[in-house]
């Protein structure tokens, strides 16, 4: 695929479902610096409901950021302003051929007509679009003689590519396992990535294809597909119709089904296939197999969902309403899961919840209050279990069910507070604030529970939101309301994590580290799952802030968890290993399992590392990604994760930022380089290399084919940068500093 993207084709349409991994693969291609003679401008997928003018305004902003040009004065028509810049003589004179990479452009009205106009611009050498829907894209391809279409079969991993992907991800498996996974997932990148994470979580090695591996692969795929259906607003009401539709190999477009099928394609569940008989929609084999398994499981458990006027069933078949009450067997299983969870065995507890979740139905309209209360409490406990097992998607689904069942009960508020905590831990500040406000509007907690652990989730979420908005005083007040941690407090690690993050932002590193580590001793043996990874990350960052780089490196040196990716990249940055920092950024920055806040921090660190290596274009790309996530989430704190000198470098990249980085450096200085960083010119580096190898001024001049005076001039400049006055001191200092 990379060779196709790097070709001279003027139009490249990357077409596939949401499971094909279009964005990940295109972003990976961009990271390889594939078109050094051209300027690639990546524009992220627009949010739902964006207007055409808003979208082309974002394209305009991205173009200015990547090219280093000042943004134009705001006007009424952003597309005209973009077109004017692309036809301007400045870009043409610079011979700056632009490659526009427009990700997920399906939501933009009249996009094809606009792209056709852009192709008329002399500065636009290529337009690459990624799309879920066929729509009018064939017209664009047909209208351009120099075009390429990349479909799902090209996007899929081969066995060899998947094997490389497994090894890069730290999963020690052989070619037989790669072949087995490729066959069961069709090589689709998103499904393969999910299976890779499941292999990492299991910690098992499969020497050959086996039924155990098949179950692991199918379970991972089923969880991803079911989560997409359950959490996508347009899909969840149609879940029963989706399961029924998967029984057919293809889905012909008819007058009755066109709306339903268009919705499926827009959500990325199916793809258009053009046959001699007309257009049909089709699930990928792996997704269809997953939906069929879910449908069989529902039929065996007797769980079906009825249709309503707002949830039409477009396919034939009776619907049966199942009772909402949990059976005694379910209740006993959840009790076992809670007991395991409280002993720190979160993964095992989550596995028990999986067996319960597959046999229950979130239907409560005909239940009495006692049954609803029992269901709400059961779903709440399952949601907390999934949270502690670091399965945030599953946790979100169960907590939403708990709120639905527990309407008018105190459990409704607990569920809302826990949902706020999930979003706050991820760094989705805006979404977290919405759930915080929802929690405060719900029924008040009974007096006898006031101050108990029921309030912990909401308070910790509020504190994390305040920290992400750079409001440490507000966070301090909220953490004070928590009081001392109770012995049975299951969210203790989240409270300690928030306290550690407050210490980082307020400059109280030693006190914060002492408090976190002393309190952690009170919960010995419970630092597992998400709790353990959060505490590992914040302890390492506190040690970094205190200058204890070796201690921080020992804490997270063997971790491969996305929650520790930012601190691992920061260790590389502060010790001058800029290539190592960028490697971590490329590995985790676009990982769907990586929390939003961590990915923001990674892109900020990546920008600093790229600047240190003199790669300002790459630095602009990284910081633009961080800015995009900041505007989407409302989080600002990730911009504080680098030293002041590097903050000044990033501030000078010409990207419009949501914060004043220079003021930020003065107010929230947390990390400093552990080694001095000295930037040398290529000629100065050659002179220093000559000194380090024992050469004299004469031999250095002779080896470089320059005069003695030229070497002496470079030597004086070298001494000045190293802060020395002699050859001997220069050699000694050069062995201690980072040279870039």
């Amino acid at each position: 695929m990379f060779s196709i993207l790097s070709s001279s084709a003027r139009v490249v349409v990357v077409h596939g479902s949401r499971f094909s991994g279009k964005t990940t693969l295109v972003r990976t291609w961009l990271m390889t610096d594939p078109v050094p003679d051209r300027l690639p401008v990546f524009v992220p997928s627009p949010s739902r409901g964006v207007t055409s003018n808003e979208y082309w305004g974002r394209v305009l902003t991205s173009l200015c950021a990547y090219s280093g040009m000042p943004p134009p004065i705001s006007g009424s028509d952003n597309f005209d302003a973009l077109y004017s810049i692309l036809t301007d003589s400045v870009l043409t004179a610079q011979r700056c051929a632009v490659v526009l990479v427009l990700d997920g452009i399906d939501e933009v009205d009249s996009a094809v007509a606009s792209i056709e106009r852009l192709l008329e611009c002399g500065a636009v050498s290529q337009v690459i679009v990624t799309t879920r829907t066929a729509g009018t894209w064939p017209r664009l391809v047909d209208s351009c003689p120099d075009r390429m279409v990349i479909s799902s079969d090209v996007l899929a991993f081969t066995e060899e590519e998947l094997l490389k992907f497994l090894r890069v991800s730290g999963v020690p498996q052989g070619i037989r396992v790669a072949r087995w996974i490729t066959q069961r997932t069709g090589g689709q990148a998103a499904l393969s990535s999910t299976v890779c994470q499941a292999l990492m979580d299991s910690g098992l090695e499969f020497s050959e294809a086996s039924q155990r591996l098949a179950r692991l692969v199918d379970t991972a795929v089923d969880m991803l597909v079911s989560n997409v259906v359950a959490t996508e607003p347009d899909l969840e009401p149609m879940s029963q119709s989706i399961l029924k539709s998967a029984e057919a190999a293809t889905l012909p477009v008819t007058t009755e089904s066109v709306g339903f099928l268009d919705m499926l394609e827009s959500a990325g569940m199916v793809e258009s296939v053009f046959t001699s008989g007309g257009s049909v929609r089709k699930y990928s084999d792996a997704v269809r197999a997953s939906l069929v398994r879910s449908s069989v499981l529902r039929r065996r458990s007797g769980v079906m969902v009825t249709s309503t006027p707002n949830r039409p069933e477009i396919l034939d078949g009776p619907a049966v309403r199942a009772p909402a009450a949990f059976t005694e067997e379910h209740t006993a299983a959840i009790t076992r899961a809670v007991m395991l969870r409280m002993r720190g065995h979160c993964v095992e507890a989550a596995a028990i919840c999986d067996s319960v979740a597959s046999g229950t139905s979130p239907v409560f309209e005909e239940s009495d209050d006692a049954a609803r209360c029992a269901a709400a409490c059961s779903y709440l406990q399952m949601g907390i279990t999934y949270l502690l097992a670091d399965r945030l998607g599953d946790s979100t689904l169960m907590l939403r069910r708990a709120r639905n069942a527990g309407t008018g009960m105190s459990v409704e508020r607990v569920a809302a507070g826990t949902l706020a905590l999930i979003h706050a831990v991820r760094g989705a500040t805006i979404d977290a604030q919405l759930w915080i406000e929802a929690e405060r509007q719900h029924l008040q907690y009974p007096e006898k529970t006031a101050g108990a652990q029921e309030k912990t989730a909401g308070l910790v979420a509020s504190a994390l939101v305040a920290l992400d908005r750079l409001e440490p005083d507000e966070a301090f007040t909220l953490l004070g309301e928590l009081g001392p941690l109770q012995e049975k407090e299951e969210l203790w690690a989240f409270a300690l994590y928030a306290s550690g993050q407050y210490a980082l932002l307020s400059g109280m590193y030693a006190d914060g580290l002492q408090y976190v580590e002393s309190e952690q001793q009170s919960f010995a043996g419970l630092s597992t799952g998400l709790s353990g990874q959060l505490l590992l990350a914040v302890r390492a960052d506190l040690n970094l802030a205190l200058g204890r780089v070796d201690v921080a490196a020992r804490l997270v040196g063997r971790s491969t968890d996305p929650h520790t990716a930012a601190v691992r990249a920061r260790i590389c940055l502060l010790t001058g290993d800029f290539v190592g920092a960028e490697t971590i950024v490329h590995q985790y920055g676009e990982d769907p399992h990586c929390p939003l806040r961590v990915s923001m921090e990674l892109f900020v660190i990546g920008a600093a590392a790229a600047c240190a290596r003199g790669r300002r274009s790459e630095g602009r790309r990284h910081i633009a990604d961080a800015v995009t996530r900041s505007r989407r989430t409302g989080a600002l704190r990730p911009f504080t994760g680098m030293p002041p000198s590097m903050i000044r470098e990033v501030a000078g990249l010409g990207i419009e930022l949501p914060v004043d980085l220079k003021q930020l450096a003065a107010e929230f200085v947390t990390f400093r380089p552990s080694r001095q960083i000295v930037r040398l010119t290529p000629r100065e580096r050659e002179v220093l290399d000559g000194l380090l190898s024992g050469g004299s001024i004469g031999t250095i001049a002779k080896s470089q084919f320059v005069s003695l005076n030229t070497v002496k001039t470079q030597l004086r400049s070298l001494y000045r940068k190293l802060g020395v006055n002699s050859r001997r001191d220069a050699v000694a200092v050069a062995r201690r500093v980072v040279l870039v």
Side-chain angles (χ1 to χ4, degrees), residues 34-49:
V35 284
D37 57 332
R38 290 180 278 172
L39 175 66
V41 177
F42 181 84
V43 184
S45 177
S47 58
R48 180 170 298 182

Side-chain angles (χ1 to χ4, degrees), residues 608-621:
C611 287
R613 298 177 64 197
R615 300 172 60 181
R616 294 176 64 82
S617 176
E618 183 74 11
R620 281 194 290 271
R621 187 150 53 230

Side-chain angles (χ1 to χ4, degrees), residues 157-176:
F157 281 128
T158 63
E159 293 169 6
E160 292 75 14
E161 289 170 340
L162 181 58
L163 181 60
K164 291 179 182 178
F165 179 74
L166 292 173
R167 288 174 177 170
V168 168
S169 302
V171 185
Q173 305 294 341
I175 187 63
R176 291 185 178 180

Side-chain angles (χ1 to χ4, degrees), residues 366-444:
E366 299 176 2
S367 305
D368 56 28
D369 288 346
R372 285 198 308 113
C373 182
C377 291
S378 296
Y379 281 126
L380 177 64
Q381 293 302 326
M382 293 166 70
I384 293 174
T385 300
Y386 285 134
L387 168 62
L388 294 175
D390 197 10
R391 291 172 52 177
L392 302 186
D394 299 324
S395 178
T396 299
L397 176 62
M398 292 302 156
L399 292 169
R400 286 177 180 271
R401 290 182 177 181
R403 286 189 67 246
N404 186 19
T407 301
M409 308 174 192
S410 60
V411 69
E412 182 182 25
R413 182 167 187 176
V414 180
T418 311
L419 284 164
L421 179 60
I422 290 174
H423 289 292
V425 167
R426 293 180 61 246
T429 306
I430 295 174
D431 292 335
Q433 184 61 48
L434 292 175
W435 281 112
I436 290 168
E437 293 171 0
E439 185 220 15
R440 292 170 180 169
Q441 294 171 0
H442 286 321
L443 182 71
Q444 295 295 315

Side-chain angles (χ1 to χ4, degrees), residues 228-290:
V228 168
V229 175
T231 57
E232 185 80 22
D234 290 339
L235 297 181
E236 192 276 332
M238 309 289 291
S239 59
Q240 189 59 35
S241 293
I242 292 171
L243 293 181
K244 289 181 179 179
S245 67
E247 297 173 2
T250 58
L251 307 173
V253 180
T254 65
T255 304
E256 294 77 15
S257 68
V258 62
F260 172 72
L261 297 179
D262 285 347
M263 180 270 295
L264 283 183
E265 186 178 16
S266 178
M269 292 291 293
V270 299
E271 298 178 48
S272 288
V273 178
F274 298 96
T275 66
S276 58
S279 173
V280 299
R281 305 295 199 275
K282 183 178 183 296
Y283 292 105
S284 71
D285 291 341
V287 172
R288 180 174 174 241
S290 174

